[in-house]
Amino acid sequence: MKTHGELKGFWERRLQSDWTESGVGYAALGRAFNTWMYRVRAEVFDREAATLPLHLPDARVLDIGSGTGFYVRRWQGLGVKSIVGCDLTAAAVERLRGRFPGVEFHELDIAEPGDTLERGAFDAVSAMDMLFHITDDARYRAALGSVAAALRPGGIFVLSENFLQRPEQRGDHQVNHTLPWITRALDEAGFDVMRRMPMLVLMNAQVDAGPVWRKLWGGLLRAVTLSEWTGGLAGSLLFPLERRLVRVLRESPTTEMMICRRR
């Protein structure tokens, strides 16, 4: 397993060289395809966040792992005026401060935030597409504890994960935990799960599918994204189907979104 310092260095280098959707997304599929993928993510996030039991214009929101600020912009689009963002990397935070001059950003590790984040100060916290990059289980649980500490009682936690219903998968830069493991960790941190829904279905690695389909579809995605032109075309063709699938399916073989409430 990579050390925490090695992982931080990996993300510093990656975001320094590619501060775009592909840098924070599925880099092997290229920027054009990732742009279409993030359009689906945006629709799911906006649809679900708009139904949260919050008065969004007055809510105070913390976005963890802000990256390029994609979800900061989503919260802003929903009318949220008070947003605090944070990221592990200086490469992201420096650029985020330039892109969003009215938003407060901190460079911090959510597993060890120190006293940077005021306890109980936030009505909602988002941690999108980043928890599975915490490869140490103890640090993952510590991150959830930090989220709980930052939220007021009854506050909302919005996250995305892969929620495997197959055996756990471990790599150097990503760990895909099982649904029972994640829900147990959330419960231990003081969260009740409200709902879970697909965020993507076909436009991402099929990590929770059988090995044959996973390999075949992964090979096809990489083949059709060999160039930015073909990747953009593939994304535009898959986009209408993906929009439909994330609305009608209850389970996904890849990334899903979950909404929890702090007890």
Side-chain angles (χ1 to χ4, degrees):
M1 183 174 69
K2 297 283 188 182
T3 66
H4 176 62
E6 289 172 327
L7 290 170
K8 186 177 188 299
F10 168 82
W11 287 108
E12 284 282 8
R13 292 188 298 274
R14 178 159 161 171
L15 294 182
Q16 186 65 50
S17 62
D18 184 10
W19 195 58
T20 69
E21 288 86 350
S22 59
V24 296
Y26 192 167
L29 301 184
R31 189 176 304 174
F33 188 86
N34 272 275
T35 299
W36 284 103
M37 187 192 301
Y38 270 88
R39 286 183 65 181
V40 180
R41 284 185 167 107
E43 287 197 9
V44 176
F45 185 89
D46 290 355
R47 182 188 74 222
E48 297 298 328
T51 69
L52 295 176
L54 299 167
H55 186 244
L56 288 174
D58 298 326
R60 192 169 189 222
V61 171
L62 170 66
D63 181 60
I64 300 169
S66 295
T68 62
F70 182 82
Y71 292 101
V72 172
R73 199 172 298 283
R74 306 264 43 95
W75 285 117
Q76 287 182 329
L78 290 164
V80 178
K81 296 179 176 61
S82 178
I83 303 172
V84 174
C86 64
D87 197 271
L88 180 65
T89 68
V93 170
E94 180 181 350
R95 293 171 176 176
L96 285 164
R97 287 171 177 162
R99 178 172 284 181
F100 300 94
V103 178
E104 176 185 338
F105 287 100
H106 300 280
E107 180 188 342
L108 62 80
D109 176 358
I110 193 58
E112 300 179 271
D115 58 0
T116 302
L117 302 175
E118 184 181 351
R119 295 179 66 88
F122 297 95
D123 301 293
V125 173
S126 53
M128 306 302 294
D129 311 322
M130 54 76 59
L131 286 169
F132 41 63
H133 292 304
I134 303 176
T135 58
D136 181 282
D137 291 355
R139 296 185 72 84
Y140 191 111
R141 290 190 175 93
L144 295 183
S146 299
V147 173
L151 276 169
R152 63 168 175 77
I156 301 298
F157 182 28
V158 184
L159 65 145
S160 64
E161 254 285 9
N162 288 316
F163 301 110
L164 297 190
Q165 302 191 55
R166 294 173 177 272
E168 168 183 281
Q169 302 161 5
R170 289 188 173 267
D172 283 344
H173 302 112
Q174 182 167 325
V175 172
N176 297 321
H177 288 293
T178 65
L179 174 61
W181 190 94
I182 296 169
T183 53
R184 184 166 60 250
L186 286 164
D187 178 64
E188 291 169 357
F191 289 104
D192 293 323
V193 176
M194 297 169 65
R195 62 183 184 272
R196 174 173 56 92
M197 70 293 300
M199 194 158 204
L200 294 165
V201 178
L202 295 175
M203 296 180 78
N204 204 0
Q206 306 287 282
V207 293
D208 205 18
V212 174
W213 171 251
R214 181 180 178 181
K215 186 173 182 179
L216 285 173
W217 187 252
L220 178 61
L221 282 182
R222 287 188 292 275
V224 300
T225 56
L226 285 175
S227 74
E228 289 297 314
W229 187 87
T230 59
L233 177 62
S236 67
L237 293 174
L238 275 175
F239 177 69
L241 174 60
E242 191 80 331
R243 293 179 71 201
R244 177 67 177 165
L245 291 175
V246 295
R247 285 183 174 274
V248 301
L249 296 182
R250 299 187 64 184
E251 300 282 344
S252 167
T254 185
T255 308
E256 296 174 319
M257 181 168 154
M258 178 180 277
I259 298 174
C260 304
R261 189 195 303 270
R262 181 181 176 237
R263 288 195 289 272

